Amino acid sequence: MLDLKYVVANAEAVKQNCRDRNVPAAVIEDLDRAVALEAERKAAFHRVEETRRRQNEVAQATGKERDPVKRGLLVEEGKQLKAAAAALEDQLRKLDAGIHDRLRRIPNLTHPDAPIGQTEDDSKEIRTVGVPRAFDFPVRDHVEIGKTLDLIDFETGGKVSGTGFYFLKNDAVLLDLALQQFAMNRLIAAGFTPVITPDLARNSILEGIGFTPRGVETQVYSIENTDLSLVGTAEITLGGMLADTLLDESALPLKYVGLSHCFRTEAGAAGRASRGLYRVHQFTKVEMFAFTTPETSGEMHALMLAIEEELFQALGVPYRVLDICSGDLGGPAYRKFDLEAWMPGRGAAGEYGEVTSTSDCTDYQARRINIRYRPAGQKGTRLVHTLNGTALALSRAIIAVLENHQRADGFIDVPDVLRPYVGKDVLGRR
RNA sequence: GGAGAGGUGGCUGAGUGGUCGAUAGCGACGGUUUGCUAAACCGUUAGACUGGGAAACCGGUCUCGGGGGUUCGAAUCCCCCCCUCUCCGCCA
C-alpha cells in the first residue's frame, strides 16, 4: 500500500506509474475516487474529533460536578453528543473503507532504472552467464528422465491428488533434500538466519504481504471454516513474523532464510509451457527475506541477486538475469530481478525458464503489516523496507539439474557441490 | 477438545467505573558529581493520526491483545474472537 498523503500530493505521477505497470483502467479511476474521497474524509475526521473532544470534556466535567441539577444537564448534553458522534463516526468509517479499498489496489512505485513496458518481453536481459551445453546425444526433458529413472511420478500424483501433483521417488528425493541443504548452508554462511516456517497463515497476513486469498482469480488455497490459507511462498510467513513490530535501527538489517512448502492453485495456467514440474500445485522452496532501512534496500536487493546467481553457478546451470519491466511487476514490487535457468529439455531445443525472483518492495508491505524502526538519534519512527528473493525453488531447480547434467547413458551427474549432500555422484543407477 | 488463570508502555509489573495514556522498577538517553570506571543523585523516555507555527514548541483525537456492546464517562463491566500459561484428554 502506498502512503495516501503521497498519492494525493503526486496523483499524476502515481497515475502514470499505474499506466506503466499495466494495471486495469478501473484502478486509475479508483485512484481519482480515493483522492476525491480523501478531502471529504478529512472534513469528516475533523467533525468527529471535535465532537469527541467535547464528549471528553463533558464526561470529565460530569465526574467532578457535585450539584445534581448541573450534573443532570451535563449528562443530558453527553447523551446528545453520543448520538451525534455515532452518526458522524459511521460516516467516517464508510469514507475510510472506501479510500482504503481503493488505495490497496494501487501498485507500488517503480524504480527509475526498471525498464518501462507492458509485457514480459519488455523486460531487459542484463546478462547471460554460462554457456548451454552442446549435447552429442538426443536430449531428454525432465519428464522423460523422471519416468525412465523412476524419479518423478506424475501419474500417481494425479491419481492421489490430481493434476499438478507428483511423487518424487528414489534419487529425486535425495536430490531435493540435497538442494535444500545446499541452499540453506550457503545462506547461513551469508549471515541469514535459518527458519522453517508454517505452511499455513492467517488471511490477514496474506493480505498484508499483498496476496488476495479470496476472489475468483485467486492463486491461494484456503482452508474451509477457518481464516487460514496455505502459503504460496514463505515470503508470507517470513514477512508476517515481524508484523506490528517496532524495531531499533541497530537491529537492521534482519536477514532470514526460510524453508516452506508452497501451494498454488495456478488457476488458468494449464497448457504449453507448464509441462512436468515447471508449474505445479505444491513444491518446496528456500526463500530469502530481509528487513532493511530505506537507505540500504537497494544494496540488499543486489546481495540477494548475487546469492541467487552464485547458487546457480555452483550448480553448473547456465542462466540469464532479467530486469523485470514495469508492466510485469507484481503489486508490491518496486523492482524485480528474475533468474532464468537454461533448461535443455524445454521447447524445441532448450529454453530459459524462470527459476528465481527477487523483489525490493520498499515500504509497500511494511505499511500494511506495520513494521517500523526507530532511526538512531532521531525522533519518531520510519517504515522498514522489505525484500524477498528465491534461493532455490526445488521443483524448478530439479528440472535444471536433471536436464543440464544428463549423460549419454541416461543417468545424471550430480553437481560437485551437491555430492556431499546426495551421498553419490550419479543419479538413477540402481 | 475440556477446566482454570492470564494478555497493560522497549522489558518487568501495579491499576476493578471519572482526577488514568496509566504507579513503580529495569533498561535507554541527557545532566550533576568524578582523575577514569562504577556508584549515587536529578531529569527525559510509547505509537498512529491531526490543528497552529518558519522553527523551537503548543494543542486535539485514537490506541491498555483484536472487534463489538453497556454508560454522560471503560484498562476497569458485558459479549465474540485471537494468543499465552497450568492441569486433564487425545496424538506424531
Side-chain angles (χ1 to χ4, degrees):
Chain A
M1 192 166 67
L2 291 178
D3 179 15
L4 179 58
K5 272 186 288 189
Y6 181 89
V7 173
V8 170
N10 303 279
E12 273 317 308
V14 174
K15 268 196 253 184
Q16 184 56 46
N17 182 57
C18 287
R19 285 190 283 269
D20 287 346
R21 294 182 64 138
N22 206 13
V23 300
V27 171
I28 297 175
E29 288 161 29
D30 278 347
L31 191 157
D32 281 325
R33 183 76 184 127
V35 170
L37 284 176
E38 169 59 4
E40 275 184 61
R41 189 200 65 83
K42 259 185 149 159
F45 181 73
H46 287 303
R47 283 195 296 276
V48 167
E49 278 204 332
E50 180 52 27
T51 308
R52 287 207 276 234
R53 188 194 60 73
R54 181 61 192 154
Q55 267 186 296
N56 289 339
E57 205 170 76
V58 168
Q60 288 217 347
T62 311
K64 289 182 186 134
E65 186 54 66
R66 293 287 146 240
D67 178 343
V69 176
K70 288 183 181 167
R71 195 183 166 97
L73 288 173
L74 285 170
V75 169
E76 193 47 45
E77 183 180 359
K79 284 187 183 177
Q80 285 170 13
L81 286 167
K82 191 179 170 182
L88 289 170
E89 279 168 14
D90 191 54
Q91 193 185 19
L92 180 61
R93 235 193 313 276
K94 283 184 182 133
L95 286 166
D96 267 334
I99 290 167
H100 188 258
D101 287 350
R102 290 176 172 88
L103 189 62
R104 45 169 302 161
R105 287 189 214 122
I106 299 171
N108 200 355
L109 301 175
T110 307
H111 191 289
D113 295 343
I116 303 296
Q118 299 297 302
T119 72
E120 56 186 311
D121 299 329
D122 297 316
S123 293
K124 185 174 144 203
E125 183 180 296
I126 296 180
R127 60 181 160 272
T128 304
V129 177
V131 179
R133 190 176 141 201
F135 290 92
D136 52 7
F137 56 89
V139 172
R140 284 145 295 157
D141 77 352
H142 73 281
V143 178
E144 193 186 337
I145 296 169
K147 187 165 183 147
T148 310
L149 300 182
D150 197 17
L151 300 179
I152 313 171
D153 185 345
F154 290 101
E155 275 145 46
T156 307
K159 180 173 79 179
V160 172
S161 306
T163 43
F165 291 93
Y166 53 95
F167 284 74
L168 293 183
K169 294 170 70 182
N170 301 312
D171 285 349
V173 173
L174 298 181
L175 176 60
D176 186 298
L177 295 173
L179 286 163
Q180 292 179 36
Q181 290 209 56
F182 162 66
M184 268 291 166
N185 283 324
R186 287 294 173 115
L187 268 293
I188 291 167
F192 286 69
T193 303
V195 182
I196 294 179
T197 85
D199 290 337
L200 280 75
R202 292 181 198 284
N203 291 327
S204 60
I205 298 288
L206 286 262
E207 281 160 19
I209 298 292
F211 290 78
T212 23
R214 318 221 180 276
V216 278
E217 78 296 354
T218 186
Q219 291 287 91
V220 176
Y221 287 103
S222 288
I223 309 294
E224 208 173 350
N225 299 325
T226 71
D227 74 333
L228 295 172
S229 293
L230 293 167
V231 298
T233 161
E235 175 190 351
I236 293 162
T237 41
L238 292 170
M241 275 198 304
L242 293 185
D244 293 314
T245 304
L246 182 57
L247 301 159
D248 272 321
E249 179 167 359
S250 60
L252 299 174
L254 284 167
K255 297 183 287 183
Y256 293 99
V257 53
L259 175 70
S260 84
H261 296 110
C262 303
F263 303 88
R264 303 184 180 183
T265 62
E266 300 296 357
R272 353 170 242 118
S274 0
R275 187 169 148 78
L277 280 182
Y278 193 77
R279 195 176 297 284
V280 287
H281 292 311
Q282 177 183 337
F283 59 98
T284 304
K285 182 155 61 77
V286 179
E287 176 83 358
M288 302 179 273
F289 199 95
F291 305 87
T292 72
T293 61
E295 289 73 23
T296 55
S297 59
E299 203 178 295
M300 183 63 70
H301 201 195
L303 173 67
M304 285 187 173
L305 177 59
I307 289 171
E308 292 176 349
E309 291 192 55
E310 189 213 305
L311 291 172
F312 277 88
Q313 285 170 24
L315 291 174
V317 172
Y319 62 87
R320 60 177 183 169
V321 182
L322 298 180
D323 192 347
I324 299 302
C325 76
S326 56
D328 211 26
L329 292 170
Y334 176 67
R335 195 178 201 187
K336 178 158 100 171
F337 297 112
D338 281 4
L339 247 61
E340 293 190 344
W342 180 251
M343 297 179 179
R346 191 172 162 83
E351 282 175 8
Y352 285 102
E354 181 186 339
V355 283
T356 74
S357 181
T358 178
S359 298
D360 179 356
C361 297
T362 61
D363 60 7
Y364 192 89
Q365 294 174 325
R367 183 170 292 107
R368 280 252 279 271
I369 53 176
N370 188 28
I371 308 179
R372 303 173 169 272
Y373 74 98
R374 293 179 202 277
Q378 279 178 55
K379 272 185 160 180
T381 60
R382 299 171 77 194
L383 292 164
V384 301
H385 278 194
T386 58
L387 302 101
N388 63 80
T390 317
L392 283 184
L394 272 303
S395 48
R396 290 189 183 176
I398 287 172
I399 299 176
V401 169
L402 293 181
E403 293 188 0
N404 281 288
H405 295 288
Q406 59 184 300
R407 314 193 319 180
D409 63 6
F411 299 124
I412 311 295
D413 279 322
V414 177
D416 289 346
V417 292
L418 294 182
R419 290 186 183 183
Y421 301 113
V422 175
K424 50 175 87 172
D425 298 348
V426 178
L427 299 182
R429 270 195 194 131
R430 296 303 184 97

